[in-house]
Amino acid sequence: MNIRTISTKPFTDQKPGTSGLRKAVTVFQEPHYLENFVQSIFDSLEGYEGKTLVLGGDGRYYNRQAIQIILKMAAANGFGRVLVGRGGIMSTPAASCVIRKNQAFGGIILSASHNPGGPEGDFGIKYNVTNGGPAPEKVTEAIYARSQVIDAYKILEAPDLDLDDLGKFQLGSLAVEVIDSVEPYMQLMESLFDFDRIGELLSSAKFGMCMDSLHAVTGPYAHAILEQRLGAPAGTVLNGLPLEDFGGGHPDPNLVYAHDLVEILYGEKAPDFGAASDGDGDRNMILGRKFFVTPSDSLAVLTANAHLVPGYRQGLAGVARSMPTSGAVDRVAAKAGIDCYETPTGWKFFGNLLDAGKATLCGEESFGTGSNHVREKDGLWAILFWLNILAVRGESVEQILQSHWQSYGRNFYSRHDYEEVDAAPAKELMERLRKEAPDLKGKQFGNYQVEYSDDFSYTDPIDGSVSQKQGLRVGFSDGSRIVFRLSGTGTKGATLRVYLESYESDASKHNQDTQAALAPLIAIADEIAQIRTSTGREKPTVIT
Ligand code: G1P
Ligand code: ZN
């Protein structure tokens, strides 16, 4: 077998965003596009020769082709072994688990997460480091820098491998093992949660659950764990067959895109518990009967109830949340006397805190929750955590939230997204806010007075690295807050995200409608940022 060196030219747009490089499938299909990026990853690593790489993806369109290319490039570049998911499939948290368990050098995950798939959809690629987590910024910056000067890549000339059955192959000097990632992932879950009690709950006639895998990667994991291992009735997992285009849907577990599940949980004879996960299995949405749990509240509830779960019974070192996530978990941490860290958006910022043992649970408002068991957020983990709490407490999801708010007060929270707006005016809006931020302090908007206003900057407490321009924050004297950010994962135009939060300690007001409770802040956000004028949009595309 021949190693070929192919000449190439840089693509100017290979800068990784919040979570790897994400582009339209058609962009990745351009000759050399994927190869350039993969070679840029390898060129920015040191000492991987002879070592193990983990490889898999969420099964979206182009996954199969990309896996074959990457295997041949890994062989040509001198990796010793690749552990590849059967059929090229591996969820993001399972990949993190496999990297850690096998002490692999790193991993490549092919996914555009919650973005739609198919020939007209999106594709993505991200590199994870030895701890199993997303490459930190210094690595992604090195990859980008390399991609801007690359002039050649190496690839082995070889026929494609059959990855649909477990087995071992030799590709030049590279050993390729097709593995079942469900098994190690299930073992890890079993080491954390009380499977006996969850099993009792799931097989009880009194309890009903519905899990929507949205035709994405969690299907096989959810079938194996919830139905086969824990005894939930067949049919508990909906849309459990991964499809290249996710059945034409948008594999994003929120109230808008997981509407089938929402209809079931808000319908007649609704089950007690509903959950969904995204394209690559790292997100989760939690629903009770006719009840939605915001991801920020979910993180707070998991933190407050962690002592009920075997894997966390010994206590939490601390918690961490992304800056736009609500302060609900801060209140739980304060009461428990543990540290709470505020990081920029993106899971990569939790890695150092988890590695250093400073945080045990982490979460983001964008339907992401996880812990130190892997270095990615983990959809099924969050669902099992909830099931463990429900099994022990014997209360409904709604009862658990109501009593949580009684103890800690309620952080009303919502995110308004303006998707695919023109990039130039969106950038201008952020620039304008950045300039005006310092002058907002002390300003009065109706009953709200601005207490602080800044562009969030983060200094990593472990390695001292600084990340600037992470979102415009406007905080008010009553604890309310508005945050403005541009998405770093969108692939078309720009997506403006407006995060709104207000705190209510009075229990008699806890059952208001969220949008109504936030109405004054929504109006202030428009006044401050001139959203409608700048974007030409009367209302957000997605409200979560
Ligand atoms: C979004 C979410 C962020 C999450 C990321 C990857 O990024 O907001 O919390 O970590 O997807 O799932 P954004 O598009 O806002 O940059
Ligand atoms: Zn995802």
Side-chain angles (χ1 to χ4, degrees), residues 20 37-38 41-42 45 48 51-57 67 70 74 79 81-85 90-92 94-100 102-111 124-136 139-140 143 375-376:
F37 191 72
V38 173
I41 296 176
F42 294 161
L45 305 177
Y48 62 79
K51 302 265 170 66
T52 300
L53 181 74
V54 171
L55 178 62
I67 294 261
I70 297 168
F79 274 93
R81 181 169 75 137
V82 172
L83 302 176
V84 58
M90 214 185 283
S91 77
T92 288
S96 188
C97 162
V98 172
I99 293 171
R100 292 168 69 78
N102 293 279
Q103 291 165 343
F105 187 86
I108 290 181
I109 304 172
L110 303 173
S111 170
I125 171 166
K126 51 185 180 174
Y127 180 69
N128 281 29
V129 292
T130 313
N131 73 356
V139 177
T140 55
I143 295 170
R375 292 295 180 273
E376 288 278 6

Side-chain angles (χ1 to χ4, degrees), residues 190-203:
E190 191 157 5
S191 73
L192 298 171
F193 300 113
D194 190 336
F195 268 30
D196 290 342
R197 288 192 89 156
I198 300 176
E200 265 168 47
L201 180 75
L202 285 178
S203 50

